[in-house]
């Protein structure tokens, strides 16, 4: 049986530390033997007491006082590091390495004290048979930013592949970055260039002289970067596992998600385990059901008939929320989709001024139709023509539940706009998802720009598609004037969007690029 030392330098708030220690108690030891080493660097005596209690109640715990007294500030926005603190932690980690080697453990698992682990994590990493491997976790480095993994490919934190001497434009960088993010969301073991904070290290790697000392001619910030560079120089490859993502309590506000993490571990595990993956529901004619979900309002003079003509080639049914139309929009929908089942809901009064209410209504009405896949599009959006022949491949595969696409903002019938404010086609956004009945969907609760789908769908396996989506909503001057006035009225201070982008809608000479099929 392999002996594994779980090591952690700890300077932590009691509320977070308590969850961390509870998580460690849940770790499975069916095929490994765990012992623990903590370096107590806490200023709060309550945290030190929690470590002492853990030592008293758990077999095989070693507790070292740091005998140092430094302030480490964490607030609701971020963590504040300085050079002294980084290399103090480096010394602590080196001390843990030394103890591991001297005590002849088979592995060291270095873990930060603000992470929660799946019970299977360490046994799974040991079974991976890698000398250095981390379990992935995701962090919003700023409260409103997208979650990012703690691993990278090169340099200080570069998360896209770029060969030496290769020149990449912004679009290519965005594409490769999203490829990397998608891979990190895909269950597997992936080679990376940098990692940390949740890492299993073999005795072979430890005895090679690997450590966290600063490399004097390297200016990169953070002891983990120096560790990773030294490891590669010593001949070790670095890997990340993505089967059991840890939960990062980066801010005290993240404590609100702890119970959800505990509740969802078994659900997420079943999704990842193909042997227990829920069957994909299909229609009696053995076709996977694709449901178009759309909100419409006064679309008769715009693009509705054109886009519906495209959609009817591949959808099996449609859910239409009419948000207070006063024209013949409904008649166009019914006529354009004749022969296709339609679930139609009419709002007497428009809900668009509070978009989150409207999107939740759209979601709930769509679920009433028992969908397999949901394609959420607006009445001025349609895919390029080859989508018709490619869509079945996306629906029939079993590895991904979410597909993201690039959206091109057309400024006339043949050109799309590209400049610092109009770059949506450089980013992949979700428009197609497989509905998972037992997944706990949660929403971004903002009146505007809340998203078409629940905010946490990227916790499901997801992928980018090279198929492109055409957005006709800006294609005429009249469209642009109407949207400009609507955005300025509903979000005059730019609380939910970018006020400078709103103003740029009226630019007289925008940069336009010709669309190529």
């Amino acid at each position: 049986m392999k002996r594994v030392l779980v090591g952690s330098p700890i300077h932590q708030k009691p509320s977070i530390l308590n969850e961390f220690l509870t998580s460690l108690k849940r770790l499975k030891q069916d095929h490994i033997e765990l012992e623990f080493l903590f370096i107590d660097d806490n200023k709060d005596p309550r945290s030190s007491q929690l470590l002492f209690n853990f030592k008293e109640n758990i077999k095989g715990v070693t507790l070292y006082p740091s005998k140092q007294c430094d302030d480490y500030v964490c607030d609701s926005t971020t963590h504040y590091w300085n050079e002294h603190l980084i290399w103090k932690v480096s010394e602590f980690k080196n001390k843990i390495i030394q103890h591991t080697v001297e005590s002849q453990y088979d592995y060291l698992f270095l873990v930060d004290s603000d992470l929660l682990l799946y019970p299977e994590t360490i046994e799974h990493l040991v079974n991976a048979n890698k000398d250095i491997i981390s379990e992935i976790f995701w962090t919003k480095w700023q409260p409103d930013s997208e979650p990012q993994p703690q691993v990278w490919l090169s340099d200080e934190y570069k998360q896209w592949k770029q060969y030496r001497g290769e020149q990449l434009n912004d679009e290519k960088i965005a594409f490769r970055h999203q490829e990397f993010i998608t891979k990190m969301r895909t269950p597997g073991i992936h080679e990376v260039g940098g990692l940390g904070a949740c890492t299993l290290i073999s005795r072979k790697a430890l005895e090679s002289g690997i450590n966290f000392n600063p490399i004097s001619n390297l200016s990169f910030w953070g002891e983990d970067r120096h560790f990773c560079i030294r490891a590669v120089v010593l001949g070790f490859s670095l890997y990340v596992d993505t089967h059991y993502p840890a939960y990062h309590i980066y801010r005290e506000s993240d404590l609100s998600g702890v119970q959800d993490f505990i509740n969802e571990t078994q659900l997420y595990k079943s999704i990842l385990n193909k042997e227990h993956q829920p069957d994909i529901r299909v229609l009696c004619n053995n076709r996977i059901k694709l449901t178009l979900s759309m909100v419409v309002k006064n679309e008769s003079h715009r693009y509705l008939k054109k886009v519906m003509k495209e959609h009817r080639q591949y959808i099996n049914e449609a859910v239409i929320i009419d948000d207070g139309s006063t024209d013949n929009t409904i008649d166009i929908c019914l006529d354009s989709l004749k022969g296709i089942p339609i679930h139609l809901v009419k709002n007497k009064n428009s809900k668009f001024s509070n978009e989150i209410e409207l999107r939740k209504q759209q979601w709930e009405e769509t679920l009433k139709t028992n969908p397999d896949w949901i394609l959420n599009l607006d009445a001025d959006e349609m895919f390029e023509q080859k989508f018709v022949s490619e869509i079945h491949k996306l629906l029939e595969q079993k590895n991904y539940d979410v597909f993201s696409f690039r959206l091109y903002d057309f400024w006339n019938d043949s050109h799309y706009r590209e400049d610092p404010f109009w770059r949506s086609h450089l980013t992949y956004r979700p428009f197609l998802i497989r509905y998972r009945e037992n997944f706990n969907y949660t929403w971004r609760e903002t009146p505007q720009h809340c998203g078409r789908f629940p905010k946490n769908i990227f916790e499901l396996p997801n992928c980018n598609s090279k198929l492109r989506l055409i957005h006709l909503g800006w294609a005429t001057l009249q469209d642009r004037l109407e949207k400009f006035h609507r955005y300025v009225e509903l979000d005059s201070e730019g609380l939910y969007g970018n006020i400078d982008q709103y103003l740029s809608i009226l630019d007289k000479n925008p940069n336009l690029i010709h669309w190529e099929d």
Side-chain angles (χ1 to χ4, degrees):
M1 184 173 288
K2 300 293 185 182
R3 296 175 63 233
V4 181
L5 179 67
V6 178
S8 183
I10 296 179
H11 184 113
Q12 192 55 263
K13 296 175 181 177
S15 57
I16 297 175
L17 180 58
N18 182 62
E19 298 296 345
F20 168 71
L21 295 174
T22 301
S23 174
L24 296 185
K25 293 177 183 178
R26 292 194 293 264
L27 289 170
K28 288 187 175 181
Q29 301 186 51
D30 296 337
H31 306 289
I32 59 175
E33 180 183 344
L34 297 181
E35 295 184 15
F36 302 87
L37 171 60
F38 302 130
I39 297 181
D40 182 1
D41 189 48
N42 295 292
K43 294 189 70 174
D44 191 324
R46 294 174 298 173
S47 294
S48 295
Q49 184 63 46
L50 285 172
L51 292 178
F52 178 79
N53 293 344
F54 188 89
K55 183 178 185 298
E56 289 295 295
N57 291 285
I58 301 294
K59 181 181 177 181
V61 179
T62 301
L63 191 57
Y64 287 149
S66 76
K67 299 181 180 179
Q68 300 190 40
C69 188
D70 295 296
D71 289 321
Y72 172 46
V73 179
C74 306
D75 60 23
S76 59
T77 300
T78 189
H79 295 196
Y80 298 90
W81 288 89
N82 59 48
E83 192 78 3
H84 169 70
L85 289 175
I86 285 175
W87 300 119
K88 182 181 81 169
V89 171
S90 169
E91 291 178 8
F92 291 160
K93 290 181 178 179
N94 285 338
K95 184 173 183 178
I96 295 173
I97 288 176
Q98 181 182 356
H99 180 92
T100 307
V101 172
E102 291 176 351
S103 301
Q104 296 186 326
Y105 288 94
D106 297 295
Y107 291 93
L108 166 63
F109 182 65
L110 276 175
V111 59
D112 285 1
S113 61
D114 53 5
L115 292 174
L116 305 188
L117 306 173
Y118 276 79
E120 300 86 358
T121 297
I122 299 181
E123 284 201 334
H124 178 72
L125 294 179
V126 169
N127 289 336
N129 197 30
K130 304 294 185 183
D131 288 305
I132 303 175
I133 183 170
S134 285
E135 186 56 60
I136 201 165
F137 63 86
W138 299 77
T139 307
K140 290 185 176 182
W141 301 118
Q142 298 296 324
D144 296 326
S145 64
E146 290 297 315
Q148 297 292 324
Q150 94 279 18
V151 297
W152 61 98
L153 289 175
S154 63
D155 300 335
E156 195 162 10
Y157 194 57
K158 184 181 287 186
Q159 293 178 319
W160 64 88
K161 187 69 175 179
Q162 186 167 358
Y163 299 98
R164 197 171 289 109
E166 185 180 20
Q167 299 298 316
L168 300 178
N169 58 28
D170 289 345
E171 182 172 2
K172 195 66 175 178
I173 290 174
F175 180 80
R176 289 189 183 180
H177 176 260
Q178 195 59 48
E179 278 189 323
F180 174 74
I181 295 298
T182 298
K183 180 181 286 188
M184 294 303 102
R185 293 286 190 187
T186 304
I189 295 175
H190 311 288
E191 188 169 357
V192 293
L195 45 73
C198 191
T199 306
L200 185 77
I201 311 169
S202 72
R203 183 195 298 182
K204 176 183 175 182
L206 296 171
E207 292 180 343
S208 73
I210 202 167
N211 60 68
F212 288 86
N213 288 333
I215 300 173
S216 61
N217 59 346
L218 187 68
S219 63
F220 288 162
W221 183 264
E223 80 283 0
D224 285 332
R225 291 170 178 82
H226 295 250
F227 170 89
C228 292
I229 291 171
R230 181 177 283 108
V232 173
V233 170
L234 288 171
F236 295 97
S237 297
L238 308 175
Y239 296 91
V240 64
D241 178 81
T242 57
H243 289 93
Y244 298 101
Y247 181 73
H248 194 190
I249 312 176
Y250 190 61
R251 303 171 182 86
E252 283 192 289
S253 60
D254 294 322
L255 287 166
S256 62
V258 168
Q259 191 58 50
D260 285 342
F261 173 78
I262 295 171
N263 293 340
E264 292 175 10
T265 52
Q266 291 305 310
L267 169 64
Y268 195 48
K269 176 184 175 183
S270 69
I271 291 174
L272 295 176
N273 187 338
K274 293 183 179 179
E275 292 182 3
H276 299 92
Q277 186 168 339
D279 292 334
I280 300 171
R281 287 168 288 122
V282 296
L283 294 177
C284 58
N285 62 1
N286 293 324
R287 291 183 62 193
I288 297 171
K289 184 168 65 170
L290 174 60
T291 300
L292 172 67
S293 182
M294 181 181 289
V295 174
V296 297
K297 180 181 179 182
N298 292 337
E299 306 289 347
S300 63
H301 66 290
R302 300 181 72 239
Y303 312 101
L304 183 60
K305 189 177 295 186
K306 181 177 182 177
V307 302
M308 287 302 192
K309 181 180 178 181
E310 292 294 317
H311 300 332
R312 71 168 292 120
Q313 298 179 78
Y314 46 77
I315 66 171
N316 302 105
E317 67 179 358
V319 175
I320 306 295
I321 308 295
D322 182 78
D323 194 41
S325 292
T326 56
D327 61 5
N328 65 331
T329 289
I330 293 177
D331 294 334
I332 294 175
C333 290
L334 295 175
D335 184 65
S336 299
L337 299 179
K338 189 176 296 183
I340 296 174
I342 299 177
H343 177 62
L344 179 63
V345 178
K346 301 178 183 179
N347 291 338
K348 184 176 181 180
N349 298 312
S350 174
K351 298 181 179 181
F352 193 78
S353 61
N354 186 18
E355 187 183 2
I356 182 61
E357 181 183 359
L358 180 60
R359 293 300 186 184
K360 282 185 173 181
Q361 179 193 27
Q362 180 188 11
W363 175 256
E364 291 164 3
E365 293 295 337
T366 302
L367 298 191
K368 290 179 182 179
T369 67
N370 197 32
D372 292 327
W373 285 86
I374 302 171
L375 180 65
N376 192 326
L377 296 176
D378 287 347
D380 52 12
E381 296 169 345
M382 64 182 190
F383 282 95
E384 59 182 323
Q385 186 55 47
K386 63 182 178 181
F387 184 81
V388 177
S389 60
E390 296 288 332
I391 177 60
H392 69 281
K393 297 178 183 177
L394 306 186
L395 304 183
E396 291 172 0
Q397 57 75 43
K398 297 183 180 181
N399 294 323
Y400 303 108
D401 292 340
V402 180
F403 282 97
S404 296
F405 306 84
R406 289 173 291 169
L407 179 75
Y408 288 75
D409 291 312
F410 272 52
W411 231 247
N412 55 44
D413 60 359
S414 60
H415 291 74
Y416 61 91
R417 181 169 175 177
E418 180 178 303
D419 57 43
F421 289 118
W422 298 90
R423 303 161 65 86
S424 62
H425 54 282
L426 302 181
T427 302
Y428 288 80
R429 294 181 175 87
F431 292 93
L432 176 65
I433 74 168
R434 190 199 326 260
Y435 177 60
R436 293 292 188 186
E437 186 175 359
N438 294 320
F439 185 74
N440 183 27
Y441 295 94
T442 59
W443 286 85
R444 182 173 183 243
E445 302 282 349
T446 58
Q448 294 294 308
H449 305 293
C450 60
R452 306 185 192 199
F453 287 120
K455 67 179 182 178
N456 63 333
I457 58 172
F458 284 111
E459 294 177 14
L460 296 167
N462 59 89
C463 185
N464 293 334
S465 171
K466 292 184 179 180
L467 296 169
R468 298 172 297 173
L469 188 59
I470 296 169
H471 180 213
L472 299 168
W474 306 97
T476 69
L477 178 59
Q478 181 179 350
D479 287 331
R480 296 193 286 274
L481 288 172
E482 289 179 358
K483 288 197 173 186
F484 170 78
H485 291 300
R486 186 174 71 203
Y487 284 137
V488 170
E489 177 183 353
L490 296 178
D491 189 21
S492 59
E493 298 181 4
L495 296 177
Y496 311 109
N498 187 328
I499 194 68
D500 290 327
Q501 186 188 36
Y502 299 163
L503 297 175
S504 76
I505 293 170
L506 303 183
D507 286 352
K508 294 182 178 180
N509 297 297
N511 181 56
L512 303 182
I513 300 175
H514 187 264
W515 172 265
E516 299 289 344
D517 288 321

